[in-house]
Amino acid sequence: MAAPDRERLSRFAPLVLLGVAMAAAAAVLLHYGSGLTFFQDSWEFLMQRRDPSAATLLDPHNEHIVLLPVLITQAFLRLFGMSSMTPELVLLVVLQLGVAALLFVYTRRRLGPWPALFVATLLLFLGPAWQDLLWPFQVGFVGASLFGLATLLALENEDERWDRAACAFLAVAIAFSSLGIAFAVAAAVHVLQRRRERGLRRAYVFVLPLLLYLGWYAGWGHEAENNFSAHNVLVSPRYVWEGLVASLDSALALGTISDEVVGRSKWGAPLLIALLALAAYSGYRRRGFFPGLWPVLAAAATFWFLAAFNEGPGREPYSSRYLYVGVLFVLLIAVNLLQGVKPGRWALVAAAAATCVVVGFNLVPLREGRDFFEEQTVLTRADLGAIEIAGGSVEPAFRLSPEAAGTVFLNEIEAGEYLQAVDEYGSPAYSPAELAAAPEEGRVHADLVLANALPLGIETGSGGPGAGGACVRVTGTTSLQLRPGTTTIELGPGEGAVKLRRFARREYPLNSGVLPPGSTTHLSIPRDRLERRWQLLVEAGQGARVCRG
């Protein structure tokens, strides 16, 4: 191949392959995210921040500013309604593609196009960070990463117009999430590094966004709950170390996935120690490091130490939602440490093969994360469908308990708020027909939620006067269809049990437990908007009388 042809191939082939990788990643993420519904913190925005106001836009979520994520939720509610989270997922994927594209540009400036392709591909398919890849609520972290990277690239152009752009990018990053503070620190380090050549007049790049953040903090952010403590400060180096190890594990597909955390492999810590030693030796041989290393090191340290200071349940350094940012910083640090290295052909071939292997392995935790979200989707849509069925009689303040809902992630929802949102923006829940065909776990918990939301009345006492109405005598195990109203079950001389279901097929989720001989149980079923009847199972070895009023 002639030299000009090789040059054109080296210039354009990585761009073409990056486009292929981005298209493949978008296809995988949209496929995996199709059919999923809103999860956990998303409900706080949907239920309590639907309408624009100073409070809904500027109140902190945990300790984070969430101005832009809330604005996005409000806009998408009005444009697309609440029946599907797909529009928000599309936006999340677009932002992720933007981060990968900017990471490619950042890396290409230092290592060339082929290493830039490999680095961007690792981030595109970062399966252990499945929460950031598939959960639209994480638009805050991903958006802050996108505009934080844009800030770093703009500053490197060393031009007054790009400085103004960097200031705007940084303000947008902070408006997405407090993660933007880490990039503000990176911008400050960059400006200070160049103070002799360009002076400190560029300090406005980070000063103005930080002043805006401080204004928000003084007005709203200081009211946020946090876990800051002296203990967290003292143990923060351990937290940062574990975060770096988990990020390295994830970037190289060494870890495993379990629920919401990444399992730490036995290789991560020794490998990180070896890489740090190699980096120190390389810096010694080169008599220092390239200046681009220090801003990203400062940003990474800011991110991990701030997270460490606020450590609490669900905020472990190896939690899935922290890994996208953690791996991004690890890659940026590695790129700067390797700056100036000119890999040969076979080194590039080996790197390409390693990238393919890592991507293949990292698709496994991405699939497992999707399975977790799919399970939560079934429960969410079933539980909310039950609330809608009970809408005529459910108390507005009714909340989904974990025991009834089958999940702890719906505690932000009150029935009254939810039903009002459904009236305004549509329903993400199963329709009655969809609920009848849903997986068994969803049907079981729909029955439990219905029993609590209507609510069903069940009272058991000693035998009394015989009940009126149409009565039947049953023996052994008998199943009956019940319409709304009151049903009385009078046990004979033996023990018995009363069980109920409406949507479940393989089991009866509502169980009275063992009832004493001769007892009378009054079962009250309120009327709702559905004609589907409840199914009663009476277990009475010595017989019972069932009377329906």
Side-chain angles (χ1 to χ4, degrees):
M1 182 182 296
D5 293 332
R6 285 198 301 270
E7 184 178 349
R8 281 194 295 270
L9 178 64
S10 177
R11 183 184 308 169
F12 294 111
L15 287 173
V16 173
L17 292 176
L18 177 65
V20 172
M22 292 171 70
V28 169
L29 296 177
L30 293 175
H31 171 69
Y32 276 3
S34 64
L36 301 181
T37 194
F38 305 103
F39 173 73
Q40 199 175 14
D41 298 42
S42 299
W43 290 109
E44 195 263 333
F45 287 7
L46 293 170
M47 295 296 99
Q48 300 170 25
R49 304 197 190 210
R50 296 194 302 275
D51 299 316
S53 70
T56 59
L57 294 173
L58 296 172
D59 280 351
H61 180 79
N62 297 325
E63 73 281 6
H64 289 284
I65 183 173
V66 286
L67 172 61
L68 286 179
V70 171
L71 278 174
I72 290 169
T73 297
Q74 293 175 351
F76 277 37
L77 274 176
R78 285 153 180 79
L79 290 172
F80 306 107
M82 196 174 68
S83 59
S84 172
M85 77 164 197
T86 298
E88 292 186 32
L89 177 64
V90 170
L91 174 62
L92 178 69
V93 171
V94 169
L95 293 176
Q96 290 165 359
L97 298 182
V99 174
L102 293 187
L103 181 60
F104 176 88
V105 174
Y106 186 94
T107 306
R108 184 175 60 181
R109 289 181 178 181
R110 289 157 172 79
L111 297 176
W114 287 106
L117 169 66
F118 306 147
V119 168
T121 301
L122 290 177
L123 191 68
L124 283 169
F125 295 93
L126 188 63
W130 50 271
Q131 286 194 347
D132 298 299
L133 300 186
L134 296 175
W135 183 18
F137 181 80
Q138 291 301 103
V139 70
F141 269 17
V142 178
S145 299
L146 174 64
F147 285 92
L149 261 179
T151 300
L152 297 182
L153 287 169
L155 285 172
E156 289 183 351
N157 290 329
E158 302 295 345
D159 177 86
E160 183 61 30
R161 290 173 301 176
W162 280 107
D163 287 348
R164 291 193 292 269
C167 182
F169 292 151
L170 186 54
V172 174
I174 291 175
F176 264 109
S177 166
S178 299
L179 168 62
I181 300 301
F183 289 101
V185 172
V189 171
H190 177 92
V191 170
L192 292 174
Q193 283 179 319
R194 301 286 294 167
R195 66 188 183 278
R196 292 183 179 177
E197 294 85 355
R198 300 194 59 194
L200 291 177
R201 65 183 183 277
R202 306 170 69 207
Y204 74 89
V205 170
F206 63 89
V207 169
L208 290 181
L210 285 177
L211 286 176
L212 292 175
Y213 177 83
L214 290 175
W216 167 81
Y217 187 84
W220 294 270
H222 69 279
E223 298 176 353
E225 295 182 4
N226 63 76
N227 298 314
F228 182 81
S229 66
H231 173 267
N232 281 353
V233 172
L234 291 174
V235 301
S236 59
R238 183 198 65 192
Y239 185 101
V240 173
W241 175 258
E242 290 181 351
L244 290 170
V245 169
S247 299
L248 187 61
D249 276 346
S250 301
L252 300 179
L254 298 175
T256 58
I257 195 76
S258 177
D259 294 329
E260 294 186 68
V261 301
V262 170
R264 290 158 286 182
S265 76
K266 62 183 179 180
W267 301 105
L271 183 57
L272 181 57
I273 293 172
L275 291 176
L276 290 175
L278 184 60
Y281 177 73
S282 174
Y284 172 77
R285 289 290 303 270
R286 292 192 300 191
R287 299 180 181 275
F289 299 99
F290 287 96
L293 172 65
W294 305 112
V296 296
L297 269 179
T302 301
F303 168 70
W304 282 118
F305 275 103
L306 288 179
F309 296 162
N310 207 30
E311 181 184 10
R315 297 184 173 198
E316 296 81 7
Y318 38 82
S319 296
S320 173
R321 65 183 178 277
Y322 290 155
L323 293 178
Y324 187 86
V325 178
V327 170
L328 175 62
F329 284 135
V330 165
L331 293 175
L332 291 174
I333 292 169
V335 165
N336 280 282
L337 287 173
L338 293 172
Q339 183 173 352
V341 173
K342 301 293 183 183
R345 178 184 302 177
W346 291 111
L348 291 175
V349 169
T355 299
C356 292
V357 171
V358 168
V359 166
F361 279 115
N362 269 344
L363 287 175
V364 175
L366 181 62
R367 174 62 181 266
E368 293 177 357
R370 192 284 302 266
D371 291 344
F372 170 82
F373 279 136
E374 198 168 57
E375 293 169 1
Q376 295 303 311
T377 291
V378 169
L379 292 170
T380 298
R381 298 189 69 195
D383 295 342
L384 297 180
I387 287 181
E388 293 181 26
I389 292 170
S393 61
V394 64
E395 289 291 331
F398 174 80
R399 285 183 178 267
L400 291 164
S401 68
E403 294 77 18
T407 176
V408 299
F409 300 117
L410 296 174
N411 59 336
E412 295 287 349
I413 298 176
E414 284 190 358
E417 290 178 341
Y418 172 73
L419 293 173
Q420 181 182 352
V422 168
D423 289 339
E424 295 174 358
Y425 300 111
S427 170
Y430 286 134
S431 67
E434 290 172 329
L435 181 55
E440 177 71 6
E441 186 178 16
R443 297 195 302 268
V444 165
H445 286 284
D447 284 351
L448 292 171
V449 170
L450 270 173
N452 286 274
L454 286 170
L456 299 185
I458 302 178
E459 295 182 3
T460 299
S462 57
C471 298
V472 295
R473 185 164 295 277
V474 299
T475 303
T477 301
T478 305
S479 177
L480 302 169
Q481 298 290 323
L482 299 184
R483 58 179 178 269
T486 300
T487 299
T488 302
I489 302 99
E490 301 171 352
L491 288 184
E495 294 178 339
V498 173
K499 301 178 181 180
L500 277 173
R501 69 183 180 190
R502 196 176 194 184
F503 287 95
R505 295 175 185 170
R506 294 196 294 267
E507 61 180 285
Y508 286 80
L510 303 167
N511 189 340
S512 67
V514 178
L515 299 175
S519 62
T520 298
T521 298
H522 300 282
L523 175 61
S524 175
I525 300 179
R527 187 175 299 277
D528 56 38
R529 68 182 185 89
L530 200 61
E531 293 297 324
R532 186 185 184 97
R533 293 188 176 186
W534 289 85
Q535 187 173 348
L536 171 69
L537 184 70
V538 179
E539 296 178 346
Q542 300 297 316
R545 191 169 74 128
V546 179
C547 301
R548 286 171 282 187

